[in-house]
Structure formats: structure tokens, C-alpha cells
């Protein structure tokens, strides 16, 4: 006999109990809500185009700020440019009476940036010479050798040094560092290394390039140490384990497995520390002696571009004096650009062999 089929009613979603919508109903309602929201917004092309140009404007504003700074310095230093030209950066006025060079003489209108360029470079590189080994040692200890209970307090204290205002560093240097150098360190340096000419006995005050370099080293140490520690922490643990598995000692593991892979970031940390040292003003102005002279001895008084601007800008007695200070600001601006360009070249020289060295 033929099979008789009874038509079945179409399946309907079961009504939800207690008024609670089923998952299918909730999903459909959510999709409908999103579709309605998108339709209510209309065409978003105008908003997207506006957001694009807003981001472009933010990026171009950086170039605009640099151009404004450079143009303002050029306009304000126009008088000194016309008076001295490029001689401002490398020549000095020779006094006919004494036969000695006079670099900075506001009374007679003779100005030269040479002693301030010299003081800025000497104090900054002396600070790097003192700070880089110490900062790297602190970073290596905190990341590779420090006990767990001591790592956080030491890291916090190291980073706390970066938050201290520069004038506090200057006061500490005047009342603690300078007497310490004058009574104990400088006599030892004069006795042991005076024959080199870099530690001549010609400044009994304790002020000078060495004091400025030491205080700058303390100020840039937390910057270099923190960034170096972050870079070393980012080195994969597999690098350490692979070097140890080959029978290396802890020092060889740190040198080959960590420092070798982190050297690019360490160079960047040193560059940031150098940028801080070049532009530091108050602490350096309080301990460097503020003397516009060029001397070989690191114990002699000197000055920097930022220090002389801070000391004399409010007391400039003539338009030429003010224009010369503006030209010093322009020189500091140019030195910063040159240092950063050199740093980029150094990073390129370090990174061009990184892929082959890492394996």
C-alpha cells in the first residue's frame, strides 16, 4: 500500500519563557540595532577625510615648530651675523695690549662662541665617559644578577634620580660635590696626572669642567640605565639559554647573548643621555665657573652655550649683545642637529651587521 504522509507544520522558534528572548532573536535584534546605527550616521567619507588631514596636520606641526624656532633665532641674531659672520664660531679678538685672545667682551662689543662650544662639548663628553660604564653596570646587575627582592627598590631609586629638578642637583653640587672635589679628588688628580696637562693646578675653587661633567653624569645616569635595562629585558631568554648551553660562563652569556643583541638600543640610550647633557643649564651654570675661556685643564673654569644664555640674557645691555646670545642659541640648535645626525650615522654603522651577527 502507498505510504501516507501527513504534512507537518513549519517549525517556529520556541517562545521564550518568562519573556526572555531566545539566542536567535537576540542576535537578530543586535544586528538590526547595528544596521540602524550605521544607517543613521550617513556617509562617513567626510569624517574619514577630515580625520586623515587632522593627522597629517599633527605630523607637519613638528616640522613647523622646528622651522619657527630656526627662523626666530635667525631673525633675532641677524645683527650679530652681519657684524661677525661665520667668524663668530671659530675666531677670537686679540687684545693689542696683552696679546691674549678675548672671546666674550660685551663692553667693547667683541663676541665669539668658541669657548662656549668648547665647554659644551667637553662637559658633555666627560659626562658620557663617566656615566655610560656605570649606567650599563647598573642595568646589567638589575636584569641579570640582582636578587628578586632587591630589583624593584633599586630600579625605583634609579628612576627617581631622573625626577629630581636640575637646580637641586646644582645646590647639592655646590655644597657637597665641589668641596669634595676641591679637598680630596683634585689634589690626587694633580699629583698623579698633572704631567698630562689635563689636570693642571690652576683653580683652587673646585669649580670647572670636571665638576660640571660629574654632575651631568649623575643626571644622565638614570636615563641611560633605564633605557638600557628595558632593552636588555627585551632580549629573548632563548639567547641566554643557548649561550649557557654551549658552556659559556655568566659573563660570556651577558657579553655575547645579551649585550651583543642589545647594543643598538644601548646606543640609542647613550644618544638620549647626550641630548640631555648638551642642553642642561642650571646645574652646569652653578658649578662650571662661567668663564669664557679655553683651557686644556679639566679643573679650569669654563662655560657652556646654555649657561651663558641663562646668565646674561636678562642683563644684555645692547642689541649686539642680545643678538650674540641669540646666535649662541642658534649655535646650540645647530650642534644638536649635528650630534643627532652623527648619532643616526653611528646607529646605521652598528645595525648594518646586526642580522648576520645575531645568528
Amino acid at each position: 500500500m502507498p505510504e501516507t504522509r501527513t504534512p507537518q507544520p513549519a517549525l517556529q522558534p520556541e517562545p521564550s519563557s518568562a519573556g526572555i528572548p531566545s539566542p536567535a532573536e537576540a542576535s537578530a535584534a543586535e544586528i538590526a540595532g547595528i544596521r540602524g546605527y550605521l544607517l543613521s550616521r550617513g556617509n562617513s567619507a567626510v569624517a574619514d577625510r577630515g580625520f586623515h588631514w587632522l593627522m597629517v596636520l599633527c605630523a607637519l606641526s613638528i616640522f613647523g615648530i622646528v622651522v619657527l624656532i630656526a627662523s626666530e633665532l635667525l631673525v633675532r641674531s641677524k645683527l650679530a651675523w652681519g657684524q661677525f659672520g661665520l667668524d663668530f664660531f671659530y675666531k677670537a679678538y686679540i687684545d693689542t695690549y696683552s696679546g691674549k685672545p678675548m672671546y666674550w667682551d660685551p663692553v667693547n662689543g667683541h663676541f665669539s662662541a668658541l669657548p662656549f662650544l668648547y665647554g659644551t662639548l667637553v662637559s658633555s663628553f666627560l659626562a658620557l665617559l663617566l656615566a655610560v660604564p656605570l649606567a650599563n653596570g647598573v642595568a646589567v646587575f638589575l636584569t641579570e644578577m640582582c636578587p628578586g627582592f632587591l630589583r624593584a627598590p633599586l630600579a625605583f631609586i634609579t628612576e627617581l634620580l631622573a625626577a629630581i629638578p636640575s637646580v637641586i642637583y646644582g645646590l647639592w653640587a655646590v655644597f657637597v660635590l665641589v668641596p669634595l672635589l676641591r679637598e680630596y679628588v683634585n689634589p690626587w688628580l694633580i699629583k698623579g696626572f698633572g704631567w698630562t696637562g689635563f689636570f693642571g693646578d690652576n683653580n683652587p675653587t673646585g669649580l670647572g669642567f670636571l665638576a660640571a661633567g660629574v654632575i651631568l653624569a649623575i643626571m644622565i645616569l638614570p636615563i641611560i640605565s633605564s633605557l638600557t635595562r628595558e632593552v636588555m629585558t627585551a632580549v629573548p631568554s632563548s639567547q641566554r639559554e643557548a649561550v649557557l648551553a654551549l658552556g659559556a660562563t655568566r659573563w660570556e652569556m651577558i657579553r655575547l647573548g645579551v649585550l651583543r643583541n642589545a647594543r643598538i638600543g644601548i646606543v640609542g640610550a647613550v644618544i638620549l643621555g647626550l641630548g640631555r647633557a648638551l642642553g642642561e643649564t642650571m646645574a652646569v651654570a652653578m658649578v662650571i665657573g662661567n668663564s669664557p675661556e679655553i683651557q686644556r685643564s679639566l679643573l679650569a673654569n669654563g662655560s657652556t652655550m646654555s649657561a651663558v644664555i641663562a646668565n646674561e640674557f636678562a642683563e644684555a645691555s645692547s642689541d649686539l649683545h642680545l643678538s650674540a646670545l641669540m646666535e649662541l642659541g642658534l649655535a646650540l640648535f645647530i650642534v644638536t642637529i649635528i650630534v643627532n645626525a652623527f648619532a643616526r650615522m653611528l646607529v646605521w654603522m652598528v645595525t648594518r651587521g646586526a642580522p648576520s651577527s645575531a645568528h
Side-chain angles (χ1 to χ4, degrees):
M1 294 187 58
E3 182 180 358
T4 305
R5 295 181 177 273
T6 305
Q8 300 292 332
L11 295 177
Q12 301 292 333
E14 297 181 1
S16 58
S17 59
I20 300 176
S22 64
E25 292 175 344
S27 177
E30 182 179 0
I31 293 173
I34 295 174
R35 182 182 294 110
Y37 171 74
L38 293 176
L39 291 175
S40 65
R41 293 174 62 227
N43 188 5
S44 61
V46 176
D48 290 341
R49 193 176 297 112
F51 176 75
H52 168 77
W53 287 110
L54 179 61
M55 296 300 102
V56 171
L57 181 63
C58 291
L60 293 178
S61 65
I62 303 300
F63 297 97
I65 292 173
V66 174
V67 171
L68 286 175
I69 294 175
S71 61
E72 184 68 16
L73 291 173
L74 282 171
V75 171
R76 297 287 183 176
S77 62
K78 186 176 180 180
L79 182 60
W81 272 108
Q83 184 78 15
F84 307 108
L86 292 177
D87 294 346
F88 180 78
F89 298 102
Y90 64 90
K91 291 187 68 175
Y93 170 75
I94 304 299
D95 187 11
T96 57
Y97 179 76
S98 62
K100 296 182 179 180
M102 297 185 64
Y103 298 101
W104 197 259
D105 186 10
V107 176
N108 297 314
H110 302 299
F111 300 97
S112 174
L114 191 58
F116 309 113
L117 287 168
Y118 175 80
T120 300
L121 295 177
V122 168
S123 59
S124 299
F125 283 105
L126 184 60
L128 289 183
L129 184 65
L130 297 174
V132 171
L134 182 59
N136 287 335
V138 172
V140 169
F141 177 76
L142 288 176
T143 55
E144 305 296 333
M145 305 173 65
C146 184
F149 71 92
L150 193 59
R151 181 175 291 113
L154 281 180
F156 174 76
I157 293 175
T158 304
E159 295 174 357
L160 185 64
L161 292 175
I164 300 176
S166 61
V167 67
I168 303 300
Y169 278 111
L171 290 174
W172 176 83
V174 169
F175 292 106
V176 178
L177 178 63
V178 171
L180 182 65
L181 293 176
R182 181 178 62 243
E183 300 295 334
Y184 301 101
V185 179
N186 291 358
W188 178 78
L189 291 174
I190 294 170
K191 183 178 179 180
F193 303 96
W195 57 272
T196 62
F198 291 107
F199 301 99
D201 187 11
N202 56 1
N203 185 12
T205 63
L207 303 175
F209 294 114
L210 181 61
V214 172
I215 197 64
L216 281 177
I218 297 174
M219 295 179 70
I220 67 177
L221 186 147
I223 299 175
I224 301 176
S225 177
S226 321
L227 295 174
T228 302
R229 189 173 72 252
E230 294 297 328
V231 172
M232 293 176 62
T233 304
V235 175
S237 299
S238 58
Q239 297 286 343
R240 299 174 174 86
E241 296 170 357
V243 177
L244 291 174
L246 294 175
T249 62
R250 172 179 284 187
W251 157 242
E252 292 172 337
M253 180 271 292
I254 293 173
R255 181 170 60 89
L256 299 176
V258 179
L259 293 178
R260 189 178 183 88
N261 291 280
R263 66 185 185 275
I264 301 172
I266 294 174
V267 171
V270 172
I271 293 169
L272 288 178
L274 177 60
R276 171 71 185 274
L278 287 173
E280 182 54 44
T281 304
M282 290 306 302
V284 175
M286 297 172 72
V287 299
I288 200 170
N290 299 308
S291 177
E293 298 178 358
I294 297 178
Q295 299 191 41
R296 185 179 181 182
S297 175
L298 298 178
L299 306 181
N301 290 335
S303 188
T304 63
M305 291 183 286
S306 57
V308 70
I309 293 173
N311 288 330
E312 299 187 10
F313 190 83
E315 301 176 358
S317 57
S318 64
D319 293 339
L320 183 60
H321 189 187
L322 184 61
S323 181
L325 292 174
M326 284 292 183
E327 193 168 358
L328 272 178
L330 180 63
L332 181 60
F333 189 73
I334 294 173
V335 168
T336 305
I337 293 176
I338 293 175
V339 167
N340 280 276
F342 173 75
R344 295 297 302 175
M345 183 182 67
L346 182 61
V347 170
W348 175 80
M349 293 174 61
V350 172
T351 58
R352 61 179 178 176
S356 59
S357 303
H359 299 286

